[in-house]
């Protein structure tokens, strides 16, 4: 079990719901992943619009907890307004906070993000901020009241994996009591396993599953990788060495040596 935002969940995999070829494939991928939490964008598809209600019914029928997000927002005011709408619609105080500052790499705006996080926390939200791997920004978000931080591995949709594992390791070491979830840039199950081996609490996947040749099989592959990475971390990953060290020391007389 994993305690996140006062809720206990079974899976450390979070799954995004955008870009899937069909509603059925999305539904099957959610079940194959075993994800306990799915993210949805209020700005990209609303229940009031045509087809929206069927989408929300699909998400609810999955049994997963809904984590609304503010994808597409570029200012504090936009993000706060979207979060208020999401709280009313889904009856949850959870919000994945996204405030994008750059069109080229979709990097979060650290200033607007921090301002929005402070305001939403004062309004009673459990904020899941999507941010870069900047230590100072993450510390400020924690100081503002965030109990979950979601640093990127690489730009959204790039599939490049963990571009700066050193900095992600620094975050894990310095923010020991905070739930850390790698969000964005994860392209392969091995990337997710790497994050979990480092001690991250979870990984959010969307594009790598949705655009796979077989999203359902890929969802299952990511689920296994995340579970394996967590098991490796908990059991203790061996430290790297600069020099070789034999696994079977050659001390004394070999057991196969025969006397003349």
């Amino acid at each position: 079990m994993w305690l996140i935002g006062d809720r206990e969940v079974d899976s450390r995999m979070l799954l995004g719901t955008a870009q899937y070829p069909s509603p059925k494939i999305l539904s099957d991928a959610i079940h194959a992943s075993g994800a306990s939490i799915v993210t949805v964008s209020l700005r990209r598809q609303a229940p009031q619009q045509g087809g929206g209600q069927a989408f929300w019914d699909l998400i609810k029928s999955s049994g997963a907890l809904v984590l609304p997000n503010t994808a597409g927002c570029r200012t504090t005011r936009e993000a706060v307004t979207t979060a208020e709408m999401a709280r009313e619609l889904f009856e949850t105080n959870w919000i994945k906070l996204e405030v994008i500052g750059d069109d080229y790499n979709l990097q979060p705006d650290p200033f607007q993000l921090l301002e929005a996080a402070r305001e939403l926390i004062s309004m009673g939200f459990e904020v899941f901020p999507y941010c870069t791997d900047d230590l100072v920004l993450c510390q400020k978000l924690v100081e503002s009241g965030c109990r979950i931080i979601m640093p990127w591995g690489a730009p959204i949709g790039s599939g490049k994996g963990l571009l700066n594992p050193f900095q992600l390791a620094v975050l894990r070491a310095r923010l020991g009591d905070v739930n850390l979830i790698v969000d964005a840039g994860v392209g392969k199950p091995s990337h997710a396993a790497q994050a979990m081996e480092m001690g991250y609490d979870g990984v959010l996947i969307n594009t790598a599953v949705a655009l796979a040749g077989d999203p359902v099989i890929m969802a299952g592959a990511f689920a296994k990788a995340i579970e394996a990475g967590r098991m490796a971390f908990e059991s203790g990953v061996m430290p790297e060495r600069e020099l070789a060290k034999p696994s079977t020391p050659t001390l004394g007389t070999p057991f196969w040596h025969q006397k003349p």
Side-chain angles (χ1 to χ4, degrees):
M1 298 296 288
W2 174 30
L3 180 65
I4 178 170
D6 294 330
R7 301 292 295 272
E8 286 191 343
V9 298
D10 295 320
S11 172
R12 293 175 179 270
M13 178 174 175
L14 293 78
L15 191 66
T17 56
Q19 305 184 75
Y20 287 82
S22 71
K24 184 180 187 309
I25 291 176
L26 169 58
S27 178
D28 290 346
I30 293 173
H31 288 293
S33 72
S36 299
I37 301 171
V38 297
T39 65
V40 296
S41 172
L42 196 66
R43 289 174 63 90
R44 290 178 180 158
Q45 184 169 10
Q48 300 92 322
Q49 299 170 349
Q53 189 59 52
F55 175 80
W56 300 128
D57 289 343
L58 183 156
I59 297 300
K60 292 174 183 176
S61 68
S62 72
L65 297 173
V66 175
L67 174 60
N69 66 52
T70 63
C73 293
R74 298 181 179 279
T75 67
T76 295
R77 182 45 45 202
E78 280 185 310
V80 170
T81 299
T82 301
E84 289 179 304
M85 293 171 60
R87 180 162 62 179
E88 181 177 347
L89 177 63
F90 294 108
E91 299 181 345
T92 179
N93 69 330
W94 282 15
I95 192 71
K96 182 187 172 214
L97 179 60
E98 299 183 30
V99 186
I100 300 303
D102 181 77
D103 290 330
Y104 179 74
N105 65 2
L106 301 180
Q107 180 172 323
D109 183 322
F111 308 103
Q112 298 278 337
L113 181 72
L114 183 57
E115 181 182 353
R118 287 170 172 161
E119 184 169 346
L120 289 170
I121 287 169
S122 72
M123 297 165 63
F125 281 90
E126 184 77 65
V127 178
F128 294 59
Y130 162 62
C131 58
T132 63
D133 54 15
D134 181 86
L135 174 62
V136 175
L137 170 60
C138 291
Q139 287 175 324
K140 294 293 184 183
L141 287 166
V142 172
E143 290 169 5
S144 75
C146 294
R147 298 188 294 175
I148 301 113
I149 303 292
M150 304 182 76
W152 68 0
I156 294 173
S158 67
K160 291 182 176 295
L162 310 187
L163 288 181
N164 195 343
F166 173 79
Q167 188 61 24
L168 290 173
V170 168
L171 291 182
R172 179 68 287 175
R174 296 290 298 275
L175 303 176
D177 296 329
V178 177
N179 271 311
L180 293 179
I181 301 169
V182 170
D183 176 17
V186 173
K188 295 182 280 190
S190 57
H191 297 156
Q194 181 185 6
M196 298 305 292
E197 288 169 0
M198 294 169 61
Y200 273 69
D201 298 285
V203 181
L204 193 154
I205 316 291
N206 191 166
T207 308
V209 171
L211 300 187
D214 190 321
V216 178
I217 293 177
M218 186 61 78
F222 268 105
K224 289 179 172 63
I226 289 170
E227 182 179 1
R230 183 64 186 184
M231 291 175 66
F233 170 72
E234 291 178 342
S235 63
V237 178
M238 70 168 286
E240 294 184 6
R241 302 189 181 107
E242 295 298 325
L243 300 175
K245 182 177 181 181
S247 58
T248 305
T250 54
L251 300 175
T253 304
F255 71 88
W256 62 84
H257 179 74
Q258 296 182 357
K259 294 182 180 180

